[in-house]
Amino acid sequence: MIVRPIPRALLALLVLCSTGCGSEDADALVVVGLTTDMAVGFEIDRVERTTRVDGVVTRAESLSYGGGELSLPSELALEPARDGAEVELTVEAFRGGEGSPFVTRRAATRAVSGRALFLPVSLDAACSAISCAAGATCAAGACVDPFIEPSTLADHDPTWIASASDACKTPSSGDPAVVIGQGESAFAPLEHGDVVPIEPGPQGGHHVWLALRVTGLRQMGSRLTVGGYFPELAFELRPFTSVVTLRRAGDAGCEIYGIRFQVDRGLPVASVRGRALDVEAVLEDPDGDVGTAAQRIVIAP
């Protein structure tokens, strides 16, 4: 299970200063909304991004998931530029251990005095096998002109991120849904009353390995709370909470496995063997959407 303290939306300030930066006419803003339909931490390990103003590099930065710096979707707030300045962003996506990007996306526009333009930029899985000619970039699986006329761009609205698609939450994914399964290294389904083995933990106590199938919730930054209740013992286990990153599971949506849940906290292990345990999982994503699930299991004798 990959558990990271991931912020709701990473705000990276990219300094865009041209010859007019700092002067009274540097009041044109461009805000980039960076999204992807790939799973960060699994399909994307890091991104490298470069910004240019009128052809001059103003910022070059590398952000990695392992370093806790990469979270998508995210908002890249660019500092004021002069009216008419051409602003360009190049984003390269890398898999873990690879030295060459497998997706490269460019986007450009012109800053407009008195406006905060919203420039959407996506890293698309459909572009991983496409090589575009010089002067073009890949978006949604097709080679296109990276320049977007500012007159076609909307003004920045900070609420955009709540409706932005990602690897696990899309307009077609429906309401949040969570299914409890089991498994340390893969998801396996659970039926009501299934017997589940326990094993000793590295720091004492005994645990079961749980897994979740999830739809309609963000791939990154969702807060997971797992609790349990032994009805025969009238004993409630203290819940635990962590921030998790989901992986894609094809048509099944997304999933997480390897969730270690201690079942004898505050109880002798002998007293829980052979007992029914009602498990509840609650997953709340950064948008405030919540999915819940409950499942009765029986601890192995």
Side-chain angles (χ1 to χ4, degrees):
M1 176 176 66
I2 296 183
V3 178
R4 306 280 187 192
I6 301 173
R8 180 178 181 210
L10 179 65
L11 291 179
L13 296 179
L14 308 184
V15 179
L16 297 183
C17 286
S18 63
T19 56
C21 184
S23 66
E24 292 182 0
D25 63 350
D27 63 347
L29 302 176
V30 177
V31 180
V32 173
L34 184 60
T35 61
T36 185
D37 60 354
M38 295 177 282
V40 177
F42 302 98
E43 296 164 276
I44 298 177
D45 180 67
R46 78 179 195 279
V47 299
E48 294 184 359
R49 63 191 183 213
T50 305
T51 56
R52 292 176 174 84
V53 175
D54 290 333
V56 178
V57 174
T58 57
R59 184 74 175 260
E61 191 170 29
S62 179
L63 300 174
S64 72
Y65 175 74
E69 305 149 338
L70 179 61
S71 176
L72 298 177
S74 68
E75 183 171 287
L76 315 179
L78 312 187
E79 290 196 358
R82 66 172 180 83
D83 181 50
E86 184 166 317
V87 178
E88 181 182 352
L89 173 70
T90 300
V91 184
E92 298 176 315
F94 295 79
R95 298 185 179 99
E98 295 185 359
S100 299
F102 70 98
V103 171
T104 298
R105 176 70 191 276
R106 292 192 299 124
T109 191
R110 283 189 303 273
V112 177
S113 179
R115 289 191 64 193
L117 300 175
F118 181 69
L119 181 63
V121 177
S122 61
L123 296 170
D124 303 314
C127 291
S128 61
I130 294 179
S131 179
C132 296
T137 192
C138 183
C143 293
V144 299
D145 187 341
F147 186 83
I148 303 174
E149 287 290 344
S151 60
T152 67
L153 295 175
D155 290 331
H156 170 243
D157 179 352
T159 64
W160 75 270
I161 203 165
S163 58
S165 296
D166 70 6
C168 297
K169 188 177 188 179
T170 68
S172 62
S173 58
D175 293 334
V178 178
V179 176
I180 298 176
Q182 63 177 322
E184 179 182 3
S185 58
F187 177 94
L190 275 174
E191 299 295 335
H192 181 82
D194 275 354
V195 176
V196 176
I198 61 173
E199 59 182 69
Q203 298 179 348
H206 295 75
H207 60 266
V208 296
W209 289 109
L210 299 176
L212 302 176
R213 280 271 168 85
V214 181
T215 56
L217 293 169
R218 289 262 177 232
Q219 190 245 334
M220 304 189 71
S222 292
R223 183 171 298 277
L224 171 65
T225 301
V226 180
Y229 180 74
F230 286 104
E232 297 163 283
L233 302 175
F235 187 88
E236 183 172 357
L237 293 171
R238 188 171 66 189
F240 82 89
T241 299
S242 63
V243 177
V244 300
T245 296
L246 306 174
R247 66 166 66 230
R248 291 203 298 182
D251 294 339
C254 289
E255 65 184 19
I256 183 171
Y257 44 75
I259 302 169
R260 183 188 282 116
F261 183 48
Q262 185 176 341
V263 297
D264 61 346
R265 183 174 297 175
L267 291 168
V269 66
S271 68
V272 305
R273 294 189 184 275
R275 301 287 190 181
L277 173 62
D278 293 330
V279 178
E280 182 181 58
V282 179
L283 198 59
E284 180 177 1
D285 77 3
D287 299 335
D289 290 330
V290 179
T292 63
Q295 183 65 272
R296 170 165 290 191
I297 60 176
V298 174
I299 304 301

